[in-house]
């Protein structure tokens, strides 16, 4: 049987006020710029819950953009997945991002990015993020 990997998580931003609705539009456009799943990218539009511009003031204090997908052993190409995810983050407004990677052979890994400052602004150059890695589980030998 093939090794399945599950990747899921969320990108968090400040819930925008009426004067900040540009944040949702920019983040939405970044996610819509991703290829479709039938093109077999690591990241696709279909794996994200893309925020609606028509009702931008839904969340209380935090705008939460969640995502998830199932892959065939993506951990062997994890550097490429991370590169694409960080490329997406570079185009978005966000405060923090968390990615969970569940693998059959090496357990669960959690990666966390936090903006250096109050939030990341697209086009601001180096993302200045802190990436943490944690691991749960072990091989049952």
């Amino acid at each position: 049987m093939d090794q399945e990997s599950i990747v899921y998580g969320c990108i968090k931003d400040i819930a925008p006020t009426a004067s900040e609705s540009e944040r949702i539009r920019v983040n939405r456009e970044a996610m819509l710029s991703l290829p479709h799943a039938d093109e077999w990218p690591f990241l696709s539009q279909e794996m994200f819950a893309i925020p609606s511009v028509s009702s931008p003031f839904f969340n209380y204090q935090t705008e939460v953009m969640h995502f998830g997908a199932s892959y065939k052993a993506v951990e062997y190409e994890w550097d490429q997945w991370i590169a694409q995810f960080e490329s997406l983050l570079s185009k978005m407004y966000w405060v923090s991002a968390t990615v969970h990677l569940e693998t059959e052979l090496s357990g669960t890994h959690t990666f966390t990015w936090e903006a250096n400052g109050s939030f990341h602004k697209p086009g601001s150059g180096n993302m200045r993020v802190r990436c943490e890695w944690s691991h749960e589980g072990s091989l049952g030998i």
Side-chain angles (χ1 to χ4, degrees):
M1 183 172 210
D2 292 331
Q3 295 176 4
E4 181 181 30
S5 305
I6 306 292
V7 177
Y8 62 95
C10 67
I11 302 167
K12 297 177 187 175
D13 190 27
I14 301 163
T17 63
S19 64
E20 299 173 317
S21 61
E22 171 83 358
R23 293 175 84 103
I24 288 182
R25 186 190 62 74
V26 167
N27 287 349
R28 177 180 168 78
E29 287 178 5
M31 288 180 264
L32 287 173
S33 73
L34 294 170
H36 288 282
D38 58 359
E39 298 174 33
W40 181 238
F42 289 107
L43 299 181
S44 67
Q45 290 180 28
E46 290 80 5
M47 69 185 286
F48 284 85
I50 299 175
S52 170
V53 176
S54 61
S55 58
F57 311 108
F58 173 73
N59 291 303
Y60 173 55
Q61 291 184 354
T62 303
E63 182 71 27
V64 180
M65 297 155 278
H66 56 279
F67 57 88
S70 169
Y71 299 90
K72 179 181 177 181
V74 75
E75 59 269 25
Y76 296 110
E77 301 171 294
W78 192 241
D79 288 345
Q80 293 174 44
W81 195 98
I82 291 290
Q84 286 189 14
F85 186 71
E86 289 182 339
S87 175
L88 174 65
L89 288 178
S90 73
K91 301 172 190 170
M92 297 177 68
Y93 287 97
W94 55 273
V95 173
S96 67
T98 302
V99 174
H100 301 283
L101 168 63
E102 294 181 1
T103 68
E104 290 184 10
L105 292 179
S106 58
T108 300
H109 307 266
T110 301
F111 300 82
T112 305
W113 290 258
E114 293 182 4
N116 186 12
S118 56
F119 65 90
H120 174 266
K121 181 179 179 180
S124 62
N126 187 352
M127 289 193 296
R128 297 178 299 166
V129 298
R130 183 176 54 127
C131 185
E132 295 178 354
W133 175 80
S134 63
H135 173 259
E136 271 179 38
S138 61
L139 293 173
I141 300 177

